Amino acid sequence: MTLTEAHSGYPMRHWVFRDAPGRYDIDLGDSNVDCGTVAELPFPSRLVLDYGTDRGGDRLRALVAGLYGRTADEVGITHGAQEALYLLYSVLLRPGDRVVAFAPGWQQAWEVPTRMGCRTDLVGTTREGRPDVARAAALIGPDCRVVVLNSPCNPTGARVTDAEADVLVRAARRYGSHLLIDEEYVADLPADSLLGRYERAVSVSGVSKVYGFPGLRTGWMCGPPEVVRAAMDHKHYTTVSNSVLTEWLAAEVLERRDHYLERYRRLTSAGGRLLGAWAARHADAVALRAPQGTPFAWLALSGSEPSLSFCRRVLDEARVLLMPAEVFGARRGVRITFAREEDVLTEGLARIGAVLEGRRSAAAAERPLSPQHKER
């Protein structure tokens, strides 16, 4: 996977909110499991819609703390995981600090620190497509304030091994760097979290990806109390507090965690098999990189057509949403999400296959399979 320059990538917000809206009826681009609905959750009709609290309500903080085996003073609730990351950048970094981040990945990891006046070193992947942890460790020095790691990785699906994590932690501990871990795709907490490996680690996650409720815009951070406290104090200058309604609903989701994890595993297991068989049939055009516990996978594209151009053709000819490599600071690939109901995934893959084979899918002109898969 080849990196582009950090600032020459195509912003995801342009793709999601400008290019794609209204042009698809099957969504294999968003990285979350199929979205849940309001009807699945009890509605708190008597809930008082006050301001809530800046750190998050006691019930939700306790539930999140329980996921990690931590205490509530180590948890802060935010307006989505993205706000958690932004708040942490804001309180941990100052102009001139150095940040080590991995790419391909979420552009915020290098865009925000760079805009704050930090030097951001981007680390790519090994020949095997794994995060180049050895290279990252070599870049961590006395001026490195923060190391940003997304594991499992969005978009490659690669998970950092225990040995790789140890290498990164040793380097960070040597210089007192903070390890900021985006763990949105970790389903098995605390078993698969890297939080417990380092005293200066902060884990960020939410109810969007594994649980399928991105519309609740509820995320969190879990880490050293002093770091969480500083970030939550800074929150007063962003969103002040979270919606008490969405916090209440998010708590209901976590109360029913086992149900949603079972659904997640059912969809990823069946969807992974369908995607694998499809990729094998189109091995001349795509190469599937096996995901490691994510609802999506990376498809390397053969041929010379840019990923963005291919994804635009899939929009126009098949009405299917994919995520082009360019939005992750990479090229020559797409992220495809397979945590979908079987009929939806089967139809979406058939349409993409038609594009790969140079046919225009007749099914793309038909009505959407269900309102859930229309542009929201």
Side-chain angles (χ1 to χ4, degrees):
M1 194 173 297
T2 305
L3 294 179
T4 61
E5 291 297 321
H7 296 287
S8 64
Y10 180 73
M12 183 181 286
R13 65 183 181 276
H14 289 180
W15 176 246
V16 174
F17 298 121
R18 298 184 189 180
D19 271 15
R23 297 171 64 187
Y24 65 90
D25 50 57
I26 293 182
D27 177 3
L28 303 184
D30 288 334
S31 60
N32 51 274
V33 69
D34 258 344
C35 291
T37 67
V38 174
E40 297 175 31
L41 302 172
F43 197 80
S45 59
R46 300 183 66 84
L47 180 69
V48 176
L49 297 177
D50 58 16
Y51 274 103
T53 64
D54 55 354
R55 293 194 65 174
D58 291 344
R59 178 190 178 203
L60 183 55
R61 287 173 59 212
L63 284 166
V64 172
L67 298 179
Y68 294 91
R70 298 298 181 100
T71 60
D73 65 345
E74 297 171 274
V75 173
I77 307 301
T78 57
H79 188 75
Q82 176 156 316
E83 187 190 33
L85 292 165
Y86 186 86
L87 291 172
L88 289 164
Y89 295 138
S90 298
V91 299
L92 293 177
L93 296 174
R94 296 293 181 270
D97 286 342
R98 190 175 186 180
V99 174
V100 174
F102 292 84
W106 180 225
Q107 290 173 333
Q108 186 197 38
W110 56 85
E111 289 282 357
V112 172
T114 300
R115 292 184 183 190
M116 293 176 62
C118 298
R119 173 183 172 182
T120 305
D121 291 319
L122 277 180
V123 178
T125 57
T126 65
R127 288 184 177 273
E128 296 75 31
R130 301 197 51 73
D132 194 344
V133 169
R135 173 62 177 159
L139 290 171
I140 298 172
D143 57 347
C144 179
R145 180 75 170 160
V146 171
V147 180
V148 186
L149 175 67
N150 176 212
S151 179
C153 173
N154 174 20
T156 68
R159 184 187 296 270
V160 171
T161 66
D162 289 345
E164 289 169 337
D166 288 344
V167 169
L168 206 58
V169 166
R170 281 197 297 271
R173 183 178 283 125
R174 179 180 180 185
Y175 296 104
S177 306
H178 294 273
L179 180 58
L180 181 48
I181 322 164
D182 179 348
E183 296 189 311
E184 272 271 30
Y185 303 100
V186 174
D188 295 318
L189 291 171
D192 288 339
S193 174
L194 300 179
L195 180 63
R197 291 178 172 271
Y198 182 40
E199 61 277 8
R200 288 199 169 193
V202 186
S203 174
V204 170
S205 191
V207 298
S208 295
K209 309 302 184 181
V210 171
Y211 301 98
F213 287 92
L216 291 181
R217 307 308 307 131
T218 303
W220 58 75
M221 65 181 71
C222 184
E226 66 277 9
V227 174
V228 172
R229 188 180 310 114
M232 292 298 102
D233 287 346
H234 192 73
K235 182 178 168 63
H236 183 77
Y237 303 107
T238 55
T239 54
V240 182
S241 59
N242 308 304
S243 161
V244 293
L245 176 58
T246 58
E247 277 201 10
W248 194 94
L249 293 171
E252 289 296 313
V253 171
L254 294 185
E255 290 277 13
R256 295 161 172 76
R257 181 169 180 259
D258 288 345
H259 164 74
Y260 289 107
L261 288 181
E262 188 282 328
R263 178 172 176 266
Y264 177 79
R265 289 168 180 140
R266 173 179 64 82
L267 291 176
T268 53
S269 177
R273 289 193 295 270
L274 284 172
L275 178 61
W278 176 88
R281 293 195 299 271
H282 296 280
D284 59 330
V286 300
L288 174 67
R289 179 166 295 159
Q292 297 178 298
T294 54
F296 56 80
W298 183 261
L299 292 175
L301 300 177
S302 303
S304 59
E305 182 179 17
S307 311
L308 185 58
S309 172
F310 172 73
C311 288
R312 284 174 172 153
R313 285 204 300 119
V314 171
L315 274 181
D316 291 337
E317 299 175 24
R319 293 189 60 79
V320 176
L321 178 69
L322 298 171
M323 285 292 162
E326 287 82 351
V327 305
F328 303 108
R331 58 191 178 194
R332 305 301 314 123
V334 299
R335 188 189 72 191
I336 182 169
T337 300
F338 55 85
R340 300 289 186 262
E341 295 294 346
E342 182 175 348
D343 60 339
V344 174
L345 181 60
T346 299
E347 174 65 17
L349 292 174
R351 294 186 191 185
I352 300 167
V355 175
L356 290 173
E357 295 164 10
R359 306 183 278 113
R360 189 177 188 91
S361 174
E366 297 176 358
R367 294 175 62 84
L369 296 182
S370 73
Q372 182 177 356
H373 296 279
K374 291 181 182 178
E375 167 61 16
R376 296 174 297 278

